[in-house]
């Protein structure tokens, strides 16, 4: 992932967005890293290409907001994904 590939905060709506579909792989990688209890600083460096020491608040927000959306996908968003035929 690089800066142009993601927003500082993903959409927060109750429906699946084009952004969500484009970033499914990122969401899965975030969930995997979270399950492995990976250090968020390392995760944000690898997945987003951001050095958390440059702007720790922004880096933390990007990580947390995308992880929250990834979790939403596992609870709700996947239904829209299946309806659209992305399986």
């Amino acid at each position: 992932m690089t800066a142009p590939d993601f927003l500082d905060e993903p959409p927060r709506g109750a429906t699946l967005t084009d952004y969500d579909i484009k970033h499914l792989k990122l969401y899965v990688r975030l969930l995997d890293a979270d399950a492995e209890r990976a250090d968020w600083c390392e995760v944000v460096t690898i997945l987003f290409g951001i050095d958390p020491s440059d702007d720790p608040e922004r880096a933390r927000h990007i990580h947390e907001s995308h992880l929250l959306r990834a979790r939403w996908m596992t609870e709700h968003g996947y239904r829209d994904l299946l309806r659209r035929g992305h399986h």
Side-chain angles (χ1 to χ4, degrees), residues 49-78:
I50 295 173
D51 182 349
S53 62
D54 290 341
D55 190 349
E57 286 184 36
R58 177 176 176 254
R60 183 82 153 174
H61 178 75
I62 289 169
H63 177 264
E64 288 178 358
S65 64
H66 281 81
L67 181 56
L68 185 64
R69 189 64 176 182
R71 289 180 181 142
W72 175 85
M73 286 291 296
T74 67
E75 298 168 5
H76 305 285
Y78 76 92

Side-chain angles (χ1 to χ4, degrees), residues 14-15 17 23 32 37 39 41 46 50-52 55-56 62 66 70 73-74 77-78 80 85:
T15 59
T17 67
H23 292 87
D32 285 346
R37 297 182 178 205
D39 176 30
C41 291
I46 294 168
I50 295 173
D51 182 349
D55 190 349
I62 289 169
H66 281 81
M73 286 291 296
T74 67
Y78 76 92
D80 287 343

Side-chain angles (χ1 to χ4, degrees), residues 16-25 27 73 81 84 86:
L16 189 70
T17 67
D18 290 339
Y19 185 89
D20 294 320
I21 293 169
K22 181 179 177 183
H23 292 87
L24 286 173
K25 186 175 180 179
Y27 292 159
M73 286 291 296
L81 201 61
R84 291 184 187 196
H86 296 278

